[in-house]
Amino acid sequence: MGRKFFVGGNWKCNGTTDEVKKIVSMLNEAEVPSEDDVDVVVSPPFVFLPIVKSLLRPDFSIAAQNCWVRKGGAFTGEVSAEMLVNLGIPWVILGHSERRLLLNESKEFVGDKVAYALSQGLKVIACVGETLEQRESGSTMAVVAAQTKAIADRVLNWSNIVLAYEPVWAIGTGKVATPAQAQEVHSELRKWLHENAGAEVAATTRIVYGGSVNGANCKELAAKPDVDGLLVGGASLKPEFIDIIKSSTIKKSSV
């Protein structure tokens, strides 16, 4: 298949300058698989992007955690895609459930953001996922497909998109989707892409899992055929992030 394993570290709203320097030192000293085998992207808060960029090893990449939906201007408190490009930040996370739920970002708004960020040359980690209520009512695939459709309706070229499936009930709760649950949704998502965006998009787009990923569960998740990587929250601030990056080697041995 040739989908390169992807490990993202979402630092969320955490860190001081000293803490950030310590995390970067830990990453810089780590022995990890080569960038030929795994893409590693870390996502600090906006205010720390320049310092992380100046210190981080060159084989790791950087993502912002959000950007505005169109060109900058009179949008107090927002950060535009153009600013990220200007800073040399290649990636952005869009549609994270914390923003969908806490800030009421609709699937259409997220779709518009993804399309605009791509138009400015950014690569996008686009997040989709269902709440516990939605899972228990059996509507997981309908919800995730609708969120993906809002992107597919606005985007023709998927080569710079990583799709992150993050069940909302598993984010920061310590509850993890079982590897079988993750594989089931990833497989259905790939089928959806095949039917709605074409065979090539389905075969080449990386679908990564996020939601309480840690050093203990990463290998089992990484071994699943349709799990092309992991988007890590709290554990990305800790040394176990290195173990999670190393879980990419599972794919090589299972190919």
Side-chain angles (χ1 to χ4, degrees):
M1 294 297 275
R3 293 188 298 267
K4 196 205 290 192
F5 203 78
F6 180 98
V7 177
N10 176 10
W11 297 2
K12 305 192 180 182
C13 187
N14 290 295
T16 62
T17 304
D18 284 348
E19 287 165 354
V20 164
K21 285 179 180 170
K22 279 184 189 137
I23 295 166
V24 172
S25 293
M26 171 190 80
L27 296 174
N28 287 351
E29 288 160 18
E31 286 186 36
V32 295
S34 126
E35 59 186 320
D36 295 336
D37 298 324
V38 59
D39 281 332
V40 180
V41 178
V42 297
S43 188
F46 283 130
V47 292
F48 298 124
L49 287 171
I51 189 170
V52 173
K53 186 172 181 343
S54 70
L55 298 174
L56 188 67
R57 58 196 291 169
D59 54 331
F60 286 9
S61 204
I62 303 177
Q65 295 177 14
N66 179 42
C67 65
W68 184 233
V69 66
R70 58 182 75 92
K71 195 169 164 44
F75 306 107
T76 301
E78 287 295 333
V79 171
S80 70
E82 290 87 347
M83 290 173 188
L84 297 178
V85 171
N86 180 251
L87 276 184
I89 305 298
W91 287 89
V92 63
I93 298 173
L94 294 172
H96 193 281
S97 68
E98 287 157 4
R99 299 194 63 84
R100 290 182 191 260
L101 293 171
L102 299 174
L103 293 152
N104 298 318
E105 292 194 3
S106 69
K107 57 185 182 292
E108 294 79 13
F109 186 62
V110 172
D112 287 340
K113 279 186 166 191
V114 171
Y116 190 76
L118 291 170
S119 78
Q120 297 308 302
L122 291 171
K123 293 184 268 198
V124 175
I125 301 159
C127 303
V128 298
E130 83 285 7
T131 62
L132 187 57
E133 213 175 352
Q134 289 163 337
R135 174 163 279 271
E136 287 175 345
S137 69
S139 54
T140 293
M141 249 346 272
V143 169
V144 171
Q147 292 170 342
T148 308
K149 181 178 187 298
I151 296 166
D153 284 348
R154 295 159 171 82
V155 167
L156 290 172
N157 183 349
W158 282 71
S159 59
N160 284 328
I161 299 178
V162 167
L163 201 54
Y165 168 57
E166 295 204 301
V168 177
W169 47 273
I171 296 173
T173 58
K175 290 180 185 171
V176 188
T178 65
Q181 284 173 320
Q183 167 59 23
E184 181 186 17
V185 176
H186 284 227
S187 170
E188 289 294 322
L189 261 176
R190 208 174 295 287
K191 277 185 207 153
W192 189 94
L193 285 173
H194 193 281
E195 287 160 17
N196 297 277
E200 174 146 358
V201 168
T204 57
T205 300
R206 291 176 289 183
I207 306 175
V208 306
Y209 172 78
S212 295
V213 175
N214 59 38
N217 58 33
C218 57
K219 286 184 180 169
E220 217 182 335
L221 287 162
K224 292 296 178 189
D226 286 295
V227 175
D228 302 316
L230 302 163
L231 185 57
V232 186
S236 67
L237 303 165
K238 301 172 188 168
E240 67 188 291
F241 188 58
I242 308 306
D243 298 324
I244 297 168
I245 297 170
K246 289 177 180 170
S247 73
S248 62
T249 56
I250 295 278
K251 273 289 188 276
K252 288 201 85 176
S253 55
S254 64
V255 168

